[in-house]
């Protein structure tokens, strides 16, 4: 079976946008990227990111901040973009994603502020204390089928899980067998199920694609994102990605979740922080 390529994969088809007018795009939120009937926030970020990449003069997302106002549902959507500023090396834009109620009332789902540039012209100098997460080899990490009951037992159902190739570090997957560690950590290997290689746009999905750290804290239920900021640091090398999520503080029914994404060449290619609500049922 041939692997999907960038531009010819399910992810690309499901994040496609059609320019209706300058700055206005029609889109369709695909049902396959839902978790517990709501469309995944990382998928939405990538979808809006594609529209902004068309509207702005620079090709790559550098920093994308999204506020999730209401839960998105599968179906038609409209994305409206605005160019705020353009410069020689960076451009800034905003976007809103809206859907419509049965009576035609407009419902704003997502509002985004983003900075775009060109990753290929960034300098090569790297000075960092960050290190790739220590994760066992992929063959020693369980996938969704390893959970009792298979994919159907994974919180959120099977739709989203079937579109990603996820293998979790066993040390952070105790929640899947009813034995959470109590630590706010989730680590794993990530890719798209059809084999499409990662690129800057798909990194916007990756930062919000793993199970929430709340599960390893012993909590269950929906963990909706309130705000998410993603930073794309460089173009990823081909191959599977390693993702590490950490939470240091849960208070008042909210937690922060920090994400690091590393490529197969040990480069830190994306980072993110989100604020999410949790339902304290565990």
């Amino acid at each position: 079976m041939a692997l999907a390529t960038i531009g010819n994969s399910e992810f690309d088809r499901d994040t496609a946008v059609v320019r209706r007018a300058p700055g206005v795009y029609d889109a369709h939120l695909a049902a396959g990227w839902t978790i517990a009937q709501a469309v995944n926030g990382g998928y939405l970020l990538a979808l809006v990111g594609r529209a902004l990449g068309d509207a702005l003069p620079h090709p790559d997302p550098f920093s994308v901040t999204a506020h999730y106002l209401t839960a998105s549902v599968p179906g038609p959507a409209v994305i409206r973009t605005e160019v705020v500023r353009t410069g020689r090396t960076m451009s800034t834009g905003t976007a809103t994603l809206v859907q419509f109620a049965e009576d035609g009332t407009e419902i704003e789902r997502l509002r985004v502020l983003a900075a775009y540039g060109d990753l290929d012209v960034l300098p090569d100098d790297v000075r960092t204390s960050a290190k790739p997460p220590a994760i066992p080899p992929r063959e020693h990490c369980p996938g969704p089928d390893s959970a009792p009951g298979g994919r159907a037992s994974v919180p959120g159902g099977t739709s989203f899980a079937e579109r990603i190739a996820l293998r979790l570090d066993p040390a952070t997957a105790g929640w899947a067998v009813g034995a959470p560690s109590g630590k706010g950590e989730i680590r794993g290997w990530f890719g798209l199920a059809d084999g499409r290689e990662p690129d800057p746009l798909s990194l916007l999905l990756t930062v919000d694609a793993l199970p929430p750290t709340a599960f390893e804290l012993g909590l269950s239920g929906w963990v909706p994102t309130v705000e998410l900021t993603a930073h794309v640091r460089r173009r990823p090398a081909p191959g599977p990605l390693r993702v590490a999520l950490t939470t240091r503080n849960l208070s008042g029914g909210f937690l922060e979740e920090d994400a690091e994404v590393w490529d197969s060449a040990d480069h830190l290619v994306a980072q993110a922080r989100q604020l999410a609500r949790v339902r304290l049922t565990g």
Side-chain angles (χ1 to χ4, degrees):
M1 178 178 175
L3 299 179
T5 57
I6 293 175
N8 185 30
S9 74
E10 184 175 33
F11 171 78
D12 295 301
R13 292 191 296 272
D14 289 348
T15 57
V17 296
V18 177
R19 190 191 305 173
R20 179 200 299 180
V24 181
Y25 300 84
D26 290 317
H28 185 88
L29 308 188
W33 303 89
T34 55
I35 299 177
Q37 289 76 57
V39 181
N40 170 261
Y43 164 78
L44 293 173
L45 204 65
L47 181 72
V48 174
R50 190 179 293 281
L52 282 166
D54 181 82
L56 295 170
H58 293 93
D60 301 316
F62 277 16
S63 176
V64 183
T65 297
H67 285 262
Y68 295 82
L69 307 179
T70 54
S72 299
V73 297
V78 174
I79 301 169
R80 301 188 183 104
T81 66
E82 179 183 352
V83 178
V84 176
R85 180 185 179 276
T86 61
R88 185 176 60 84
T89 60
M90 292 182 64
S91 54
T92 303
T94 63
T96 59
L97 184 148
V98 302
Q99 292 188 292
F100 299 89
E102 291 184 3
D103 63 1
T105 303
E106 184 175 293
I107 306 172
E108 187 174 356
R109 303 298 195 189
L110 188 69
R111 187 170 294 196
V112 170
L113 174 66
Y116 273 57
D118 187 345
L119 291 168
D120 293 331
V121 301
L122 296 181
D124 293 330
D125 183 44
V126 176
R127 308 181 193 194
T128 180
S129 60
K131 296 180 180 179
I135 303 177
R138 293 178 74 246
E139 60 268 23
H140 299 310
C141 294
D145 292 322
S146 302
R151 292 175 185 263
S153 69
V154 177
T158 63
S159 294
F160 186 77
E162 288 173 351
R163 278 150 187 84
I164 62 175
L166 177 63
R167 290 188 166 272
L168 295 178
D169 183 340
T172 68
W175 59 270
V177 293
S181 68
K183 299 178 181 179
E185 299 177 357
I186 297 280
R187 296 184 296 272
W189 296 89
F190 178 84
L192 292 170
D194 60 11
R196 179 197 189 275
E197 296 288 5
D199 70 348
L201 191 70
S202 72
L203 292 177
L204 299 181
L205 165 72
T206 305
V207 296
D208 193 39
L210 268 63
T213 53
F215 292 170
E216 268 299 271
L217 290 172
L219 307 176
S220 60
W222 192 32
V223 187
T225 302
V226 176
E227 181 270 340
L228 170 62
T229 296
H231 296 161
V232 177
R233 307 304 302 267
R234 64 184 296 157
R235 196 173 303 280
L241 302 167
R242 285 160 291 170
V243 185
L245 305 181
T246 57
T247 291
R248 298 179 59 192
N249 184 61
L250 186 157
S251 176
F254 291 85
L255 59 77
E256 90 288 341
E257 191 171 88
D258 291 309
E260 289 187 353
V261 182
W262 296 78
D263 70 4
S264 61
D266 286 346
H267 296 137
L268 180 63
V269 293
Q271 296 168 280
R273 166 166 278 205
Q274 69 170 279
L275 180 70
R277 297 186 65 180
V278 293
R279 188 174 65 186
L280 301 178
T281 60

